[in-house]
Amino acid sequence: MKSFFINDTNPASGPGIFGYRLGKELSGQGHEFTTSSPDNNICIIQGNYIEGARNILRLDGLYFDPENPDCDTLNAPIFECYKKFDHIVFQSKFSRDMYEAFTGVKRPNTIINNGINKSFKEGAEDIRTNHPLMKRFKKVCIASASWRRHKRLEEIIDTFRLTSLSDVLLLVLGGKDYEPLKNSRTFIPPSNVLLMPTLELNEIASWYCAADAMIHICMFDNCPNSVIEALSCGVPVLTSHNGGTKELIERWSGLVIKLEDDYKVGEMYPYYSPPEIDILNLSSGILNVLKIGKGFKRPDLDIKNVAERYLEVMK
């Protein structure tokens, strides 16, 4: 079987990172990539339809912020591909429901979560035992994202600043993405928050493994790579009841918390202006997720198993 694989998204974005991981795994399994008479045309978010091939579109999110006047323009080429391609791969039920609600069209589809190579954790070093700051705290949480406003970093830091989490350390990964916070109240973090510099991929696993839990409370993520990374390291995750992230959380691998009203799928929403949350409620959720314990296995997140599901779609 020959396939033509295209990944024309930003390589540092969520879709770009997953596209690279998927392409590398398929290539490693001996899958052939060609631009000449492919059996499958696999595109991420959007791409050219190829006659005679099975055209598979792997979708991410869509644009539904009423404060963005360009939503229709940005969605148009994505919706065109959605309606034309032979089969759609969604990351989550939430993503599928959003496309069906906003387009009014249902397409043949499969839901396949993101994944990561199981070797990601194997290279982790024990940095917690001798870390001068981590040794001072009973528990360690981690938060990792491209810190745009809807990821709610300010609310997370305020929770560590203002509630009874003085014996819990928060590690924040995101490097250069702290720049927008320079003029905010949270740019100078409290003593139990450590803003990490930009890390290389081969360094990140060590920091995940040093944590007892991850906090990821964005309302509208579909299947964030950072959560996949944490879960693959056996770290439980606290997340919002809205969006698609909760679908990754099984009974023993995290906690879903209600921090805001239910979002009605298909409605426009100002997601860069997230609603205020009760930080005492978030603080309680953090303490509860820390009770779950770490070290569980999630073979469903192994990129090898994820790639095999894509191969099934190609048949």
Side-chain angles (χ1 to χ4, degrees):
M1 183 189 299
K2 298 180 181 179
S3 283
F4 173 65
F5 183 84
I6 183 170
N7 180 17
D8 60 349
T9 57
N10 178 353
S13 69
I17 290 170
F18 171 71
Y20 171 78
R21 290 172 178 171
L22 177 62
K24 183 177 180 181
E25 176 61 29
L26 290 173
S27 180
Q29 291 186 21
H31 207 60
E32 183 179 348
F33 294 87
T34 179
T35 57
S36 176
S37 302
D39 298 301
N40 294 276
N41 174 36
I42 310 172
C43 298
I44 293 184
I45 301 181
Q46 56 185 295
N48 295 322
Y49 188 94
I50 298 178
E51 296 293 341
R54 179 165 169 76
N55 291 272
I56 300 166
L57 181 67
R58 186 275 198 182
L59 284 174
D60 203 87
L62 49 78
Y63 298 90
F64 59 102
D65 186 348
E67 297 175 355
N68 182 353
D70 298 322
C71 281
D72 290 344
T73 301
L74 293 168
N75 282 328
I78 303 173
F79 287 175
E80 181 181 358
C81 291
Y82 170 73
K83 294 173 182 178
K84 186 174 184 179
F85 273 56
D86 303 313
H87 198 89
I88 310 299
V89 174
F90 294 107
Q91 304 170 81
S92 61
K93 294 178 182 177
F94 173 71
S95 179
R96 179 196 63 192
D97 293 346
M98 288 288 281
Y99 274 89
E100 291 181 353
F102 275 92
T103 65
V105 176
K106 294 185 178 182
R107 302 287 294 128
N109 69 85
T110 304
I111 296 170
I112 307 177
N113 53 250
N114 293 350
I116 190 169
N117 195 299
K118 64 180 181 180
S119 64
F120 175 70
K121 180 184 178 181
E122 293 171 359
E125 299 177 1
D126 178 13
I127 59 175
R128 182 165 175 174
T129 301
N130 296 314
H131 192 280
L133 185 58
M134 280 191 256
K135 289 194 296 184
R136 292 168 41 196
F137 294 88
K138 293 181 179 179
K139 296 288 184 179
V140 177
C141 287
I142 196 165
S144 176
S146 296
W147 292 112
R148 291 165 290 171
R149 181 65 191 94
H150 63 300
K151 303 289 186 175
R152 292 169 150 178
L153 178 58
E154 294 185 46
E155 288 85 341
I156 295 171
I157 293 180
D158 273 352
T159 301
F160 276 78
R161 185 198 308 277
L162 301 172
T163 67
S164 55
L165 295 172
S166 58
D167 60 349
V168 182
L169 175 67
L170 173 66
L171 301 172
V172 183
L173 276 58
K176 60 183 177 58
D177 293 318
Y178 307 133
E179 188 71 22
L181 297 179
K182 280 191 173 180
N183 296 320
S184 77
R185 64 187 183 282
T186 59
F187 186 70
I188 301 176
S191 59
N192 60 341
V193 174
L194 178 61
L195 299 179
M196 297 295 300
T198 300
L199 299 173
E200 298 297 327
L201 182 62
N202 61 0
E203 299 177 287
I204 293 175
S206 299
W207 294 92
Y208 281 123
C209 290
D212 298 294
M214 181 186 195
I215 305 167
H216 192 91
I217 57 171
C218 177
M219 290 176 63
F220 297 117
D221 276 352
N222 291 291
C223 183
N225 289 312
S226 60
V227 171
I228 296 286
E229 292 162 359
L231 292 173
S232 72
C233 291
V235 178
V237 176
L238 177 69
T239 193
S240 167
H241 79 292
N242 283 308
T245 307
K246 64 180 182 295
E247 298 173 35
L248 292 169
I249 308 303
E250 298 177 344
R251 178 172 55 85
W252 60 86
S253 59
L255 181 66
V256 177
I257 185 172
K258 185 169 184 176
L259 294 171
E260 64 279 325
D261 293 338
D262 296 344
Y263 166 69
K264 185 177 179 181
V265 171
E267 289 188 347
M268 301 292 283
Y269 195 95
Y271 47 84
Y272 287 117
S273 302
E276 291 188 9
I277 64 173
D278 180 351
I279 62 172
L280 293 177
N281 184 26
L282 178 54
S283 179
S284 176
I286 292 169
L287 293 174
N288 285 329
V289 77
L290 285 168
K291 296 176 183 177
I292 291 177
K294 55 190 291 189
F296 50 80
K297 306 293 185 182
R298 289 295 300 269
D300 57 312
L301 305 180
D302 184 347
I303 193 65
K304 179 178 182 293
N305 296 327
V306 171
E308 287 174 354
R309 296 192 64 198
Y310 272 84
L311 289 173
E312 286 294 320
V313 172
M314 294 181 203
K315 291 180 179 179

